[in-house]
Each structure stands twice: as structure tokens, then as C-alpha cells.
Amino acid sequence: MLSEENVYPTNEVLEIILGESYVVFNEFIEIITNKNIGLGVEWRYYKDGKSWLCKVSLKKKTFFWLSVWDGYFKIGFYFAEKNSSEIENLDIANTIKEDFKVSKKIGKLIPLAISMNRKEQITDVLKIIEYKKNLK
């Protein structure tokens, strides 16, 4: 949705695209950027994909990518194979685990994508963030 290079994804732009999901997006961003979690968000326009993406990181470590769609936003984590088996043991929705099991590798990484539009989904994503924070 954010395909125009000269239109920065301001809160106003995001609210128009996300609609009712903007409340979820806003709460999610507030939670992950607070002192307890401390992640940073950085919007950038990527010419290869011709769209704006949000890189969410802690120091130099990228935790996930966030993209905005019509009425929802997507979170995209990437895990090395050695770290992927523990996803099954996390206390998260079974649908997330099932989707992850059938994900196709991208190079050496396995993607875990979550389309978000409900507040209840935030808890699962926070558990995945916590897991990723503890990886070496």
C-alpha cells in the first residue's frame, strides 16, 4: 500500500490505510518502543520492492519487518534453522505455528509472517519478540 516514494508513512497516512486496525498498530508500536522492550522503528522506502517498510530493531539486530496493507499490517520475522524448532514450544496461537511449519526457506532463513488487525494478536507477537531477544 505504501508505494509512493514521496509519501512518508505518517500517522495520518497509516490511519487512512489501516482503518480500524490503526488502533491495534498504534498500541503495538507504543508497546514495543517503550522502555521495557526498547525496540526502534525506522521507515524506509525500498526501491527494489517499490514500497515503504518499517525495520524494527534493537541496536544493530533486526527483530522483524513491518509492512502496511489495506486494513491490516504484517509482521515478518526471520529465523535461522537452528532457532526455528523452539517456535513450536512458544505459548502462541497454533495457527502461527502451523503457518511457520509450512514456510519455505528464503536462503538460509525461515520466515514467520503474521497479519495483524486485532489487539489479541499483540500478545503472541510480544512472545516471539521475547524469544528472539534471548537468541544468541
Side-chain angles (χ1 to χ4, degrees):
M1 289 299 299
L2 297 171
S3 58
E4 294 182 42
E5 186 175 3
N6 61 342
V7 179
Y8 186 84
T10 62
N11 288 338
E12 293 78 16
V13 169
L14 294 170
E15 190 169 7
I16 291 167
I17 296 169
L18 291 170
E20 292 178 14
S21 297
Y22 179 75
V23 175
V24 179
F25 172 82
N26 198 41
E27 183 175 327
F28 178 67
I29 295 297
E30 283 181 19
I31 291 169
I32 65 168
T33 58
N34 74 21
K35 282 189 246 177
N36 294 334
I37 298 177
L39 298 178
V41 297
E42 177 187 356
W43 285 99
R44 252 196 211 160
Y45 185 81
Y46 290 87
K47 292 183 190 253
D48 58 346
K50 295 186 171 113
S51 69
W52 287 89
L53 289 177
C54 182
K55 180 171 122 175
V56 180
S57 55
L58 181 65
K59 298 178 184 174
K60 292 185 179 187
K61 182 178 182 179
T62 300
F63 273 75
F64 59 87
W65 295 88
L66 187 148
S67 58
V68 174
W69 302 79
D70 189 15
Y72 66 99
F73 58 102
K74 274 189 190 177
I75 304 290
F77 291 95
Y78 293 89
F79 292 96
E81 196 166 351
K82 68 179 182 176
N83 300 321
S84 65
S85 61
E86 290 302 313
I87 298 295
E88 179 65 30
N89 298 326
L90 295 178
D91 182 22
I92 58 176
N94 284 329
T95 53
I96 296 172
K97 294 176 188 181
E98 292 302 318
D99 289 347
F100 185 64
K101 278 184 194 176
V102 297
S103 288
K104 294 186 175 152
K105 275 187 179 179
I106 298 174
K108 294 183 178 183
L109 300 175
I110 304 168
L112 187 152
I114 303 168
S115 297
M116 295 187 59
N117 61 0
R118 299 182 328 273
K119 284 187 179 188
E120 309 86 68
Q121 294 172 292
I122 293 174
T123 303
D124 285 342
V125 174
L126 293 177
K127 289 174 184 175
I128 298 167
I129 290 170
E130 189 60 34
Y131 170 67
K132 192 151 185 174
K133 255 185 159 179
N134 291 320
L135 293 175
K136 295 189 167 113

